[in-house]
Amino acid sequence: MLKDITIGQYFPGRSAVHSLDPRFKIIITGVFIGMLFAADGFAALAVGLVFLAMSFIMSKIPFRLMLKSLKPIVPIIIFTSVLNIFFLDGAPLVKFGFIKITAEGLRTSAFMVIRIIALIMGSSLLTYTTSPITLTDAIERLLSPLKKINLPVHELAMMMTIALRFIPTLIEETDKIISAQKARGADMESGNILQRAKALTPILIPLFVSAFRRAEELAVAMECRCYQGGDGRTRLRQLRSEGKDYFALGVSIVFLDIVIMLNCIFG
Amino acid sequence: MASIIRTEDLTYTYSIGTPFEKTAVNKVCLDIEEGTFSGIIGHTGSGKSTLIQHLNGLIKPTSGKVFIDGQDIWDKEVRIRDIRFKVGLVFQYPEYQLFEETVYKDIAFGPKNMGLTDEEIDRRVKETAELVGLKQETLYKSPFELSGGQKRRVAIAGVMAMEPKVLILDEPTAGLDPKGRDKILGQIKEYHRQKHITVLLVSHSMEDIAKFADKILVMNKAEVFCYEDTPDVFKRSDELAGIGLAVPQITKVFLDLKKRGIDIRTDVYTTEFAKKTILEYLERKGGAVNA
């Protein structure tokens, strides 16, 4: 039952988007978010959408997966659209008592909804095409200038890597423990909140015990291999930027420029 | 005899619709008779663990049916918890599921979920604890103070205490030393003898299975390779080797003897029987035997 949770939600593939340098992908995603927020009107927003559609088609990610990424934000989308439709001042189109719908309200609401959807789809595209570990590597490299101000960048990245590495392990473990307790007749589906909370004890205690055990084993294993932090460490997977990475970044910046230009023309 | 476990075209596919899609169990039809001690053997990833989790309703099959005691367990009338009390499942490394303050409470967890009276629970806890070789004073210790082997015993006792009609054990001896291994398997065999229940034992060790099981289910690539009486399975040693399963070492010796032109039977899989066979052979050849 827990297998359905996708954390990191990486979708393996060999598309052009998958093979981009992750550092560039992060920056390009940033540029894309810039486009969405710089856009003042629908024309400018459409340019951002074209960019999203292009990257999406190149990534060969199934469309249904992209829709799935939107599922958790449906309440936010509804909330924003309702808020914008009903509470924006302007000339009313329809009026029922104190509720009025204005043309501005409809427009802003549509604009906001498209922007949020595009935002989530764009960032999901990043996580769909980049494995969590590569992503952390890239973040470490991108943040490495901050080492100069004594920010423990390597340690933070290592913590993230370990956390990501152990999510599937812990999910699997939880699954196993749940199955084992269910096999002993544990009932987790019925009863009131208090009873259900109590029913979690047989799962949480073994889970904590095993998490601590794993942490200890990992610490020993790391020490055995003389791990001592980031200084002087080399990497197995070197991140190398190629022509196509600069090209992709260039394209995204051109799109951003177009968005800003359109703003100047229509604004 | 009636079959206590029956599966019809049982199929299970993981992660349907993603690149990770994989059929773990493919069209498995089984009839397991009541009271048998069956071994299940197969490679890692051959679908053993997935198969056994179907038998107590932890996994719902993608297609096909599972009958326990003649009842379709996914029938709307059936309460799946009742099936779980009927079919006790001991997972791999079961010691990681212990959680209570005392060993006693932990063993009592299953029986308590069944809604039994306190006296009945007390009887079952004490009886199973004794059966798996736990001392009375251990019952009031915390399970986290015990050694690995003892924890394992507590966990197995926890399932046995539900007194299921079918007991399934997934690699109950993984990670134990040879002495602990023989002891636990011996206790399971003893329990089988006393209660006349059906036992399914998943193991990687051909030796263990050969020693304890009446019948063997061989799984290969998500399918049932064969399910036959133990001697019959080992007669097919060559085929077993073909799918990459090692036959017991003692059987290997006899296969090699045969290959070298010695006329000897090859369905030998325990040391005692090996001794008998060799002596018989020598007698037949007319040599002097003093053993």
Side-chain angles (χ1 to χ4, degrees):
Chain A
M1 79 205 241
L2 286 170
K3 289 236 167 64
D4 301 332
I5 302 175
T6 46
I7 295 171
Q9 55 186 353
Y10 178 50
F11 188 87
R14 280 182 201 185
S15 73
V17 183
H18 280 89
S19 60
L20 278 187
D21 184 322
R23 288 171 298 179
F24 281 77
K25 263 192 271 187
I26 294 175
I27 298 172
I28 293 170
T29 311
V31 174
F32 171 68
I33 293 171
M35 276 179 230
L36 293 179
F37 283 98
D40 274 343
F42 278 102
L45 192 60
V47 174
L49 292 182
V50 168
F51 182 75
L52 176 64
M54 259 169 44
S55 340
F56 166 68
I57 291 167
M58 281 200 300
S59 72
K60 295 190 180 121
I61 300 284
F63 188 62
R64 134 190 93 67
L65 259 184
M66 290 301 272
L67 287 183
K68 209 174 128 196
S69 70
L70 290 176
K71 227 172 164 186
I73 58 149
V74 168
I76 300 177
I77 294 176
I78 294 172
F79 185 69
T80 351
S81 56
V82 167
L83 221 64
N84 279 300
I85 289 178
F86 293 115
F87 296 98
L88 231 73
D89 282 331
L93 281 176
V94 198
K95 210 170 170 180
F96 315 98
F98 67 95
I99 298 170
K100 60 180 200 299
I101 296 174
T102 66
E104 284 86 357
L106 276 181
R107 260 225 339 248
T108 324
S109 154
F111 187 79
M112 294 295 258
V113 167
I114 294 175
R115 189 146 83 180
I116 295 173
I117 292 177
L119 188 69
I120 298 300
M121 281 191 161
S123 37
S124 304
L125 198 59
L126 174 69
T127 48
Y128 276 137
T129 58
T130 322
S131 75
I133 298 292
T134 337
L135 210 54
T136 334
D137 270 3
I139 291 171
E140 182 180 350
R141 289 298 298 276
L142 285 174
L143 291 181
S144 61
L146 295 179
K147 273 185 199 154
K148 296 235 163 60
I149 56 164
N150 282 335
L151 197 75
V153 175
H154 171 80
E155 282 70 15
L156 288 175
M158 184 53 99
M159 273 159 60
M160 245 169 94
T161 312
I162 292 175
L164 284 171
R165 159 67 185 75
F166 277 94
I167 286 170
T169 314
L170 286 180
I171 288 180
E172 203 178 296
E173 189 105 4
T174 316
D175 237 1
K176 245 188 229 159
I177 295 169
I178 290 178
S179 296
Q181 306 300 22
K182 268 190 184 167
R184 293 208 280 165
D187 184 10
M188 274 160 283
E189 276 109 31
S190 56
N192 58 33
I193 293 183
L194 201 70
Q195 281 165 326
R196 281 189 197 209
K198 249 177 131 178
L200 282 179
T201 331
I203 291 155
L204 290 181
I205 291 177
L207 190 63
F208 274 111
V209 171
S210 89
F212 279 112
R213 183 174 45 84
R214 278 185 198 285
E216 207 175 311
E217 280 169 7
L218 180 70
V220 171
M222 283 168 84
E223 212 149 331
C224 285
R225 293 194 237 169
C226 305
Y227 176 78
Q228 48 176 2
D231 292 332
R233 234 173 121 71
T234 53
R235 315 194 136 266
L236 173 62
R237 278 173 311 224
Q238 294 283 353
L239 296 174
R240 263 185 245 283
S241 44
E242 296 167 23
K244 63 178 181 190
D245 300 315
Y246 290 99
F247 177 71
L249 181 62
V251 171
S252 70
I253 290 173
V254 169
F255 269 80
L256 180 62
D257 284 343
I258 298 175
V259 168
I260 293 169
M261 241 164 57
L262 284 174
N263 280 342
C264 293
I265 295 169
F266 291 103
Chain B
M1 258 188 290
S3 58
I4 182 126
I5 300 173
R6 190 183 156 80
T7 67
E8 283 175 5
D9 284 331
L10 183 70
T11 300
Y12 185 76
T13 312
Y14 279 109
S15 316
I16 295 177
T18 72
F20 307 106
E21 185 172 312
K22 189 179 174 258
T23 300
V25 175
N26 194 13
K27 295 197 173 139
V28 168
C29 298
L30 271 180
D31 261 302
I32 295 174
E33 280 169 6
E34 191 157 7
T36 46
F37 193 122
S38 303
I40 304 182
I41 204 155
H43 271 297
T44 321
S46 60
K48 297 170 296 194
S49 295
T50 314
L51 174 67
I52 55 171
Q53 287 184 58
H54 279 96
L55 304 181
N56 72 342
L58 280 173
I59 302 181
K60 194 170 180 174
T62 313
S63 66
K65 282 187 171 158
V66 180
F67 295 90
I68 299 295
D69 231 354
Q71 248 179 341
D72 181 350
I73 64 167
W74 291 104
D75 195 86
K76 281 195 186 85
E77 310 277 294
V78 177
R79 284 181 53 216
I80 205 73
R81 265 181 94 199
D82 295 339
I83 295 296
R84 291 186 187 142
F85 296 134
K86 223 181 239 181
V87 182
L89 176 58
V90 179
F91 275 84
Q92 233 173 69
Y93 297 101
E95 58 271 31
Y96 295 143
Q97 75 190 27
L98 302 177
F99 70 98
E100 277 286 12
E101 294 153 61
T102 65
V103 171
Y104 183 96
K105 279 190 185 171
D106 213 291
I107 298 177
F109 181 67
K112 220 172 180 174
N113 285 330
M114 296 171 80
L116 300 172
T117 60
D118 285 349
E119 295 91 69
E120 178 65 10
I121 293 176
D122 189 65
R123 176 189 73 78
R124 290 187 177 196
V125 171
K126 293 202 167 132
E127 205 180 292
T128 42
E130 200 189 313
L131 203 104
V132 299
L134 291 168
K135 291 196 191 96
Q136 287 291 319
E137 65 257 33
T138 317
L139 284 178
Y140 301 98
K141 278 188 184 165
S142 157
F144 298 103
E145 287 171 33
L146 306 180
S147 72
Q150 274 178 315
K151 278 187 199 165
R152 176 93 38 113
R153 264 161 239 260
V154 173
I156 294 175
V159 175
M160 283 181 175
M162 300 195 302
E163 300 193 348
K165 288 180 93 170
V166 180
L167 180 65
I168 306 176
L169 302 114
D170 192 355
E171 301 253 9
T173 57
L176 293 184
D177 55 40
K179 216 171 143 193
R181 197 180 66 201
D182 286 347
K183 213 166 155 191
I184 283 193
L185 289 176
Q187 284 154 353
I188 293 166
K189 186 83 188 171
E190 179 60 23
Y191 181 72
H192 171 248
R193 205 184 52 78
Q194 274 181 25
K195 305 269 177 188
H196 310 291
I197 56 159
T198 313
V199 177
L200 290 183
L201 174 71
V202 177
S203 175
H204 265 121
S205 156
M206 271 289 185
E207 268 84 6
D208 287 349
I209 288 209
K211 207 155 139 195
F212 292 99
D214 314 322
K215 289 189 87 173
I216 302 182
L217 169 65
V218 182
M219 294 282 294
N220 184 36
K221 291 183 183 151
E223 286 172 12
V224 172
F225 178 77
C226 67
Y227 178 54
E228 286 165 31
D229 289 339
T230 306
D232 296 331
V233 170
F234 287 119
K235 272 185 198 144
R236 301 167 67 173
S237 308
D238 287 341
E239 287 170 72
L240 290 181
I243 60 170
L245 287 174
V247 294
Q249 285 178 356
I250 193 81
T251 315
K252 225 182 250 170
V253 169
F254 281 79
L255 281 172
D256 263 2
L257 284 174
K258 181 114 187 174
K259 223 178 259 169
R260 291 181 189 194
I262 295 165
D263 178 31
I264 199 161
R265 56 195 298 178
T266 53
D267 55 341
V268 177
Y269 45 87
T270 58
T271 353
E272 293 85 66
F273 192 64
K275 184 177 161 193
K276 216 178 112 203
T277 313
I278 292 176
L279 289 177
E280 266 172 23
Y281 174 75
L282 291 176
E283 215 158 336
R284 239 185 321 132
K285 280 201 71 175
V289 179
N290 353 281

